[in-house]
């Protein structure tokens, strides 16, 4: 396969890489290609961990609230409901999307893709799903999600004195795990396993 170096544009032939191998540009030595040691099982393990943490983050209290001598706690969903009740509908929708819909959808999508890729050949519709997801990428950025979660926390913190709960740590762990899934998942390795459409 011939590729152009992303840094200096030098055209060169790529060798077949060993698992864990890396190809560098002959002229500027920037990385041309890498081949992960375990392209499917490692991101899959991280995705399963993220799914577990996602469930914990949404079922345990995000934080304990102590207001006017009353102690209560709230989950992400509870916080969203509270915000919509207080007339902050737009904030509620943004927070629900960033903290619930986006990470949940991403985890489901990665589980589908990775489980399908474990047993090649991968059906063509999974390839379609990947292409669709690539066009959605700017909307599922972890940074956007973290921002949404931060807004949620600040909004909830306005209501009362807060003490971080288990859910808060779960959210932190989830953000780290989702970033790790993104780093370990290699779309090229995935595409090698997809069935050709005209076969
Ligand atoms: Zn180069």
């Amino acid at each position: 396969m011939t590729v152009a170096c992303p840094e200096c544009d030098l055209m060169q032939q790529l060798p077949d890489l060993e698992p864990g191998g890396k190809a560098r540009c002959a002229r500027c030595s920037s990385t041309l290609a890498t081949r992960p040691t375990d392209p499917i099982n490692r991101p899959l393990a991280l995705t399963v961990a993220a799914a577990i943490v996602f469930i914990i983050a949404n079922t345990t209290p995000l934080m304990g609230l102590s207001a006017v001598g009353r102690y209560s706690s709230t989950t992400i969903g509870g916080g969203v409901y509270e915000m919509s009740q207080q007339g902050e509908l737009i904030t509620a929708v943004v927070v629900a999307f960033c903290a619930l819909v986006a990470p949940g959808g991403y985890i489901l999508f990665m589980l589908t893709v990775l489980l399908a890729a474990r047993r090649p050949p991968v059906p063509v519709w999974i390839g379609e799903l990947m292409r669709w997801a690539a066009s959605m990428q700017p909307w599922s950025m972890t940074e956007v999600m973290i921002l949404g979660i931060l807004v949620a926390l600040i909004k909830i913190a306005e209501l009362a004195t807060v003490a971080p709960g288990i859910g808060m740590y779960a959210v932190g762990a989830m953000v780290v795990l989702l970033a790790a899934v993104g780093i370990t998942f290699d779309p090229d390795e995935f595409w090698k396993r997809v069935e050709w459409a005209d076969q």
Side-chain angles (χ1 to χ4, degrees):
M1 190 170 56
T2 309
V3 292
C5 171
E7 292 298 322
C8 71
D9 281 340
L10 177 67
M11 293 294 283
Q12 49 208 305
Q13 202 74 20
L14 261 192
D16 280 332
L17 291 175
E18 296 282 303
K22 201 180 232 189
R24 289 183 182 282
C25 172
R27 179 154 66 189
C28 70
S29 84
S30 65
T31 306
L32 293 181
T34 52
R35 189 159 170 215
T37 29
D38 195 348
I40 302 298
N41 286 329
R42 194 174 293 175
L44 183 60
L46 287 165
T47 307
V48 170
I52 293 167
V53 170
F54 177 77
I55 293 167
I56 297 172
N58 281 291
T59 49
T60 57
L62 196 59
M63 41 178 88
L65 300 177
S66 155
V68 232
R70 233 158 24 97
Y71 183 84
S72 64
S73 63
T74 185
T75 57
I76 296 174
V80 167
Y81 176 75
E82 193 71 22
M83 275 177 246
S84 64
Q85 287 297 297
Q86 294 190 357
E88 304 211 38
L89 201 58
I90 293 170
T91 321
V93 169
V94 169
V95 169
F97 180 80
C98 295
L100 295 169
V101 181
Y106 183 71
I107 290 168
L108 257 178
F109 162 75
M110 285 308 295
L111 277 180
T112 313
V113 165
L114 290 168
L115 285 174
R118 284 192 83 186
R119 265 188 260 149
V122 176
V124 178
W125 65 269
I126 297 271
E128 284 293 319
L129 194 65
M130 273 286 284
R131 264 203 332 190
W132 175 79
S135 65
M136 291 286 290
Q137 198 99 60
W139 301 98
S140 61
M141 301 264 284
T142 357
E143 288 89 342
V144 178
M145 238 146 63
I146 298 168
L147 197 68
I149 293 166
L150 276 180
V151 172
L153 300 188
I154 292 165
K155 282 289 166 191
I156 295 169
E158 278 173 4
L159 306 176
T161 325
V162 286
I166 300 166
M168 184 87 91
Y169 298 109
V171 168
M174 182 181 77
V175 168
V176 172
L177 282 168
L178 288 179
V181 170
I183 292 165
T184 50
F185 180 65
D186 181 359
D188 290 345
E189 283 291 329
F190 170 80
W191 282 113
K192 279 183 201 159
R193 296 160 190 252
V194 177
E195 252 180 307
W196 288 67
D198 58 1
Q199 260 175 20

